[in-house]
């Protein structure tokens, strides 16, 4: 009986945490980090303001956890796709990054990405969290894979390995482009990614 009660409490606590993060996501996207209010987040999550602080000590921690909740499943999928790979190839990157781009443009991830990009300019600590937790792990893996590809002559220019950010550039550009000119985002992003990797890799 006690175990059952503990499990019920744990489940309720988890539900509250999920509700707070979802409410925070809506509030941050709607108003930005600075204008977002904890009391509004609590209201949207249907919890007391003090309850929010039980889970997150401050607004910055709540923002970071919201970013982590949205982005980490995506980052984990990328890591899994590249796990065990020793060399970058067009055949490896093209399908993996086409799927990544589509998910980046989704209603779930796209607005959060654009929010993070805009807030990182005004709040460097948030930008550093995003860099360390989201971008850096991908960049380091790309550098290793691209260096190997350059050594075996698969890159059109081996110096690409020194700038692994180029691999992600169409994704970031398209996410920003969608926010500015949504009607001009290509219908088939897979074709765009295919062209991108044809420019980087030899056949």
């Amino acid at each position: 009986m006690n175990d059952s009660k503990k499990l019920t409490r744990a489940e309720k606590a988890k539900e509250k945490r999920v509700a707070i993060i979802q409410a925070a996501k809506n509030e941050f996207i709607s108003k930005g980090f600075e204008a977002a209010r904890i009391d509004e987040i609590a209201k949207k999550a249907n919890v007391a303001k003090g309850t929010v602080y039980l889970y997150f000590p401050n607004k910055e921690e709540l923002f970071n956890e919201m970013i982590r909740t949205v982005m980490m499943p995506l980052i984990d999928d990328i890591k899994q796709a590249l796990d065990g790979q020793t060399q970058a190839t067009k055949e490896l990157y093209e399908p993996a990054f086409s799927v990544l781009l589509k998910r980046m443009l989704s209603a779930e991830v796209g607005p959060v990405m654009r929010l993070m990009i805009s807030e990182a300019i005004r709040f460097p600590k948030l930008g550093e969290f995003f860099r360390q937790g989201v971008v850096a792990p991908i960049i380091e893996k790309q550098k290793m894979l691209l260096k190997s590809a350059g050594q075996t002559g698969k890159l059109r220019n081996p110096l690409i390995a020194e700038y692994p950010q180029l691999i992600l550039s169409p994704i970031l550009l398209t996410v920003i482009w969608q926010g500015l000119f949504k009607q001009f985002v290509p219908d088939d992003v897979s074709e765009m990614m295919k062209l991108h990797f044809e420019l980087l890799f030899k056949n």
Side-chain angles (χ1 to χ4, degrees):
M1 182 67 71
N2 290 335
D3 290 342
S4 177
K5 286 183 178 180
K6 288 181 180 179
L7 181 60
T8 299
R9 292 194 191 100
E11 289 175 342
K12 288 182 178 180
K14 183 177 180 180
E15 287 179 358
K16 285 182 181 180
R17 191 174 190 278
V18 169
I20 291 169
I21 292 174
Q22 183 59 46
K25 176 186 172 185
N26 295 335
E27 178 78 358
F28 286 130
I29 289 174
S30 174
K31 299 179 181 178
F33 176 78
E34 189 169 28
R37 295 169 55 90
I38 293 295
D39 53 352
E40 285 297 317
I41 292 171
K43 184 178 179 181
K44 291 177 180 178
N46 197 30
V47 299
K49 182 177 179 179
T51 301
V52 177
Y53 286 113
L54 287 176
Y55 290 87
F56 306 99
N58 52 58
K59 188 166 70 170
E60 184 175 299
E61 287 297 321
L62 177 53
F63 185 89
N64 288 348
E65 185 59 27
M66 183 274 291
I67 295 293
R68 186 184 292 110
T69 298
V70 173
M71 297 301 301
M72 289 315 296
L74 186 59
I75 301 306
D76 289 341
D77 286 347
I78 298 172
K79 290 179 179 178
Q80 185 175 355
L82 300 178
D83 186 41
Q85 302 295 330
T86 59
Q87 181 173 254
T89 65
K90 184 170 63 175
E91 292 74 21
L92 169 66
Y93 276 14
E94 187 181 309
F97 280 79
S98 293
V99 172
L100 172 62
L101 180 53
K102 288 179 180 179
R103 289 177 64 182
M104 287 288 195
L105 295 177
S106 70
E108 172 68 16
V109 179
V112 175
M113 277 291 297
R114 290 190 292 276
L115 172 68
M116 189 65 252
I117 292 170
S118 65
E119 296 296 350
I121 297 173
R122 294 189 296 166
F123 302 98
K125 286 185 178 180
L126 299 178
E128 182 60 16
F129 165 81
F130 183 66
R131 186 192 69 81
Q132 288 185 351
V134 177
V135 177
I138 300 177
I139 293 297
E140 287 304 311
K141 181 68 173 180
Q142 301 321 306
K143 191 168 186 177
M144 182 271 286
L145 295 176
L146 289 167
K147 183 177 180 180
S148 178
Q151 291 172 344
T152 56
K154 293 186 179 297
L155 294 178
R156 292 190 180 278
N157 188 331
L159 287 177
I160 293 172
E162 298 300 319
Y163 303 97
Q165 298 90 339
L166 288 172
I167 296 296
L168 300 175
S169 59
I171 295 174
L172 294 176
L173 175 62
T174 305
V175 169
I176 297 171
W177 190 270
Q178 185 193 47
L180 295 173
F181 315 109
K182 186 174 182 179
Q183 65 272 31
F184 296 114
V185 174
D187 292 330
D188 191 347
V189 293
S190 297
E191 285 298 312
M192 183 177 70
M193 293 305 294
K194 180 179 180 180
L195 175 59
H196 173 60
F197 289 118
E198 284 178 354
L199 293 173
L200 297 180
F201 291 92
K202 295 179 181 178
N203 292 329

